[in-house]
């Protein structure tokens, strides 16, 4: 039985560290995750429609990171990883309220993308930085697909189960569509509003510092009796990014 020993005179072969090349198995999931999250942010802002500065900055930084992947993979990992981490931490507070409302498919799916997608992107960035193995990158990809499927299922079922209240005689109908309230809503004291949210995202019908604060999941309607003293009130939608939604409520 013979043993082959390495030939010390053979020329040594320099193998690039995988971190420095496009062969790093974590780069494709990192680019895919950050790309899908950024696309989700663009679609979300277009639908509201409202420019949310931190999300817009994240989209720009993601584009920068993706263009760096080919020539400066390490810089790309840092840009994409840090962008995901900062926006994940900054967004957790208000996105979690959207996660609690799976009946609003767009808000819910965007929150899932923004939280889960960014968390997975941070994991992918760490994996890419450390040059971890391909099998764990594949597991991450499979987990991502599984979570996305679960989110779509939860949102779909919740939307089907969300019940609206139907309009009754004497109600004042307020239609909310395209993230717009009517400019002015006139109501008699003690009369009931029928608030019909026709959008695929959640809104509220809120008179600040009063008891009038109605949560309106996507494509649902709610009835609320107005017990405010006669007068003119400002109405807002109390959801981050919906600051442009205002109306005047005249109580007579
Ligand atoms: Cu709104």
């Amino acid at each position: 039985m013979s043993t082959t020993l390495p030939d010390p005179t053979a020329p040594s072969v320099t193998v690039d560290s995988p971190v420095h090349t496009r062969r790093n198995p974590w780069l494709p999931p990192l680019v895919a995750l950050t790309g899908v999250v950024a696309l989700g942010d663009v679609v979300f802002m277009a639908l509201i429609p409202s420019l949310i500065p931190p999300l817009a900055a994240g989209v720009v930084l993601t584009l920068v990171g993706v263009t760096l992947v080919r020539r400066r993979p390490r810089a790309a990992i840092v840009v994409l990883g840090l962008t995901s981490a900062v926006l994940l931490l900054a967004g957790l507070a208000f996105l979690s309220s959207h996660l609690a409302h799976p009946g609003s498919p767009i808000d819910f799916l965007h929150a899932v993308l923004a939280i889960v997608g960014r968390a997975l992107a941070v994991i992918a960035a760490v994996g890419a930085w450390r040059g971890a193995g391909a099998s764990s990158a594949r597991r991450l990809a499979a987990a991502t697909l599984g979570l996305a499927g679960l989110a779509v299922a939860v949102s779909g079922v919740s939307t089907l189960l969300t019940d609206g209240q139907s309009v009754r005689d004497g109600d004042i109908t307020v239609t909310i569509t395209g993230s717009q309230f009517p400019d002015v809503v006139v109501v008699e004291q003690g009369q009931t509003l029928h608030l019909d949210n026709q959008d695929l995202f959640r809104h509220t019908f809120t008179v600040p510092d009063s008891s009038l604060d109605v949560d309106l999941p996507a494509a649902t309607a709610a009835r609320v009796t107005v017990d405010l003293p006669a007068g003119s009130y400002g109405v807002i939608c109390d959801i981050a990014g919906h600051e442009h939604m205002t109306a005047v409520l005249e109580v007579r």
Side-chain angles (χ1 to χ4, degrees), residues 11-17 23:
S12 69
V13 178
T14 310
V15 179
D16 279 349
S17 158
R23 293 195 302 276

Side-chain angles (χ1 to χ4, degrees), residues 168-192:
R168 295 192 201 162
D169 284 349
D171 286 357
I172 305 284
T173 295
V174 178
T175 303
I176 303 163
T177 181
S179 290
Q180 297 279 341
F181 292 128
D183 291 337
V184 181
V185 176
V186 180
V187 65
E188 304 285 331
Q189 233 180 332
Q191 207 173 12
T192 298

